[in-house]
Amino acid sequence: MSNAGMDAEVFEQFLIQLERFVRDRLIPVERKIIETDLIPESVLEAMRDMGLFGLTIPEEHGGAGMNISQYIRTMHTLSYAMPAFRSIISINVGMFASAFKNGGTEAQKAAWLPRIAAGEIAAFGLTEPGSGSDAAGLQTTAVPTADGWLLNGTKRYITNSPFAKVGLIMARTATENLPKNAHISAFIVPLDIPGVTICKSDRKMGQSGSHIADIVLEDVHVGSEALLGGELGKGFAFAMMSLDNGRMSVGAAATAYARRALDSAIRYATERKAFGEPIANFQLIQQMLAQSEIEIYAAECMMDDVTRRADAGENILRKAAAFKVFATEMCGRVVDACVQIHGGAGYLAEYDAERFFRDARIYRIYEGTTQILQLQIAKHMLREFAAAN
């Protein structure tokens, strides 16, 4: 992402417009999405018209060309609404756009980025039944043919795969495990070609309207132009370059959703009466409200700091991981307090508190679990200490 990004004034106007869109268009359809498990096509069209599928894609390829802080602030604004809306655009503007910008050939960028910016949905295929955080266990294979590649394997928990037109699929191009995961290459696979099966959407704890499903590849033939960047063994590296941005995006989403839960708890506490007065007058309720506010503020400060550093070109691996861990764990505490403030009503599906609680749980798991990120942060701290002493 170029650090200059969109014109600052134009961007601020866009954010005001997006806030209004979230309030007037997205939040009112949430109940319908919970019932149908689908975002209405009219809402998707409105999201395409606003350019939400191309936020990070360079302007010459039809996107908005946002820098990192603009992109993360946009995700934060959008994520005040239910998670399905960020989810549907997240792969386009995250992993997919990033991998293409970092590693795509000019021909590949010209062929795919305008389509993605216009709102064709992309999927990203790394995780498998036997490997997630551990890329060395990757089993999907890509074998060279006379005029391209033959892919075989299964990808699991693939976000947006039921709606996606194209997948960026990670596959083995070497049988043995090589340093820096150079045995993995990335392939651009249209998902409507022979041999590709998209399985039934998995049923999930929360996050209605967002879908994950397995992608099964059986003797899928792609041309030689499908190899991202035209280079073997670079796929994993291209994909991992965007991990920091993905973690910041999830951190921003968790921060915004915590704010939504707190707003709902405040409203409930001022309306609900017990012992003849609003429960908001009770000090232990006030303590939960105040503690939530304190933690959300801390996450907002981390978000501002880490995105500013990212745009300045700093290595933010550790800080992006720290923000993601803090914001997602914080969101878990805030949605829990929101249920507690609602009391018995917080356990009922008719109140939003119950779904906030379920929706927020995944934030601590995807884009790096809390535990994997804690290990990564510690490893970097210890490496730095050893180098300095």
Side-chain angles (χ1 to χ4, degrees):
M1 298 179 195
S2 68
N3 292 344
M6 269 173 90
D7 174 78
E9 208 169 295
V10 173
F11 175 69
E12 293 305 329
Q13 285 305 118
F14 166 77
L15 268 197
I16 292 167
Q17 189 192 348
L18 181 60
E19 269 174 27
R20 192 176 304 132
F21 181 68
V22 166
R23 192 181 59 237
D24 299 345
R25 283 297 303 273
L26 300 188
I27 290 175
V29 296
E30 287 182 345
R31 286 274 156 196
K32 185 180 178 187
I33 292 170
I34 291 166
E35 284 161 25
T36 61
D37 205 18
L38 281 176
I39 301 174
E41 192 53 45
S42 60
V43 174
L44 285 175
E45 273 312 306
M47 290 172 74
R48 288 185 181 107
D49 292 344
M50 281 189 78
L52 293 178
F53 287 87
L55 303 171
T56 59
I57 290 169
E59 286 180 62
E60 65 266 26
H61 295 303
M66 288 186 179
N67 64 20
I68 294 168
S69 7
Q70 291 170 340
Y71 160 50
I72 298 301
R73 281 183 67 197
T74 301
M75 288 292 144
H76 180 258
T77 302
L78 182 66
S79 300
Y80 187 81
M82 71 192 303
F85 302 114
R86 186 194 76 100
S87 199
I88 197 75
I89 67 168
S90 64
I91 307 299
N92 282 38
V93 298
M95 287 286 200
F96 200 90
S98 213
F100 269 71
K101 279 186 296 183
N102 294 327
T105 64
E106 287 311 312
Q108 287 168 340
K109 290 177 192 175
W112 285 103
L113 289 181
R115 294 172 62 172
I116 293 304
E120 279 193 24
I121 294 164
F124 183 82
L126 172 63
T127 305
E128 297 185 355
S131 70
S133 306
D134 160 31
L138 192 111
Q139 297 296 318
T140 297
T141 56
V143 178
T145 63
D147 58 347
W149 298 88
L150 203 61
L151 274 70
N152 280 283
T154 298
K155 296 295 177 181
R156 176 140 295 170
Y157 308 140
I158 305 303
T159 299
N160 296 337
S161 55
F163 315 117
K165 290 276 199 291
V166 61
L168 192 62
I169 304 292
M170 300 293 134
R172 258 180 192 276
T173 43
T175 46
E176 72 281 16
N177 289 339
L178 300 173
K180 293 187 165 49
N181 291 300
H183 53 285
I184 302 175
S185 303
F187 294 87
I188 307 158
V189 181
L191 296 178
D192 56 358
I193 61 175
V196 178
T197 307
I198 309 292
C199 300
K200 204 160 92 336
S201 288
D202 291 304
R203 294 182 64 192
K204 310 185 305 305
M205 181 190 287
Q207 302 228 350
S208 295
S210 73
H211 287 250
I212 58 171
D214 287 7
I215 299 178
V216 180
L217 308 153
E218 294 170 293
D219 289 338
V220 175
H221 182 269
V222 290
S224 52
E225 74 287 348
L227 176 63
L228 186 73
E231 266 188 280
L232 283 181
K234 294 288 178 70
F236 191 74
F238 292 147
M240 295 306 102
M241 284 178 184
S242 64
L243 273 186
D244 289 341
N245 294 353
R247 285 163 185 171
M248 289 188 285
S249 175
V250 173
T255 303
Y257 215 46
R259 171 67 67 197
R260 171 83 182 275
L262 179 56
D263 286 348
S264 131
I266 294 168
R267 188 178 304 110
Y268 185 81
T270 51
E271 290 168 1
R272 170 85 169 94
K273 289 192 167 59
F275 309 103
E277 56 182 318
I279 63 170
N281 292 356
F282 303 146
Q283 286 182 335
L284 287 176
I285 298 286
Q286 290 176 4
Q287 185 273 337
M288 285 190 272
L289 295 173
Q291 186 59 33
S292 298
E293 174 65 28
I294 290 162
E295 293 202 58
I296 293 169
Y297 175 51
E300 288 168 349
C301 290
M302 287 175 90
M303 180 173 82
D304 289 346
D305 179 68
V306 73
T307 54
R308 181 181 50 77
R309 289 171 184 273
D311 279 329
E314 281 185 39
N315 179 346
I316 51 140
L317 184 145
R318 218 159 86 187
K319 286 184 167 59
F323 167 51
K324 196 268 181 186
V325 169
F326 180 81
T328 58
E329 294 286 340
M330 170 280 287
C331 183
R333 291 189 289 270
V334 172
V335 295
D336 188 72
C338 177
V339 169
Q340 197 68 10
I341 288 165
H342 279 73
Y347 205 72
L348 302 181
E350 71 185 89
Y351 287 90
D352 289 338
E354 177 267 350
R355 77 167 149 116
F356 294 157
F357 185 82
R358 288 181 295 103
D359 283 348
R361 188 61 186 86
I362 189 68
Y363 287 143
R364 288 181 264 169
I365 295 170
Y366 58 25
E367 297 278 358
T369 63
T370 291
Q371 289 69 29
I372 282 280
L373 296 183
Q374 285 169 330
L375 289 176
Q376 210 173 37
I377 292 165
K379 189 170 76 183
H380 277 257
M381 289 164 68
L382 294 168
R383 193 183 292 162
E384 227 167 74
F385 177 79
N389 288 280

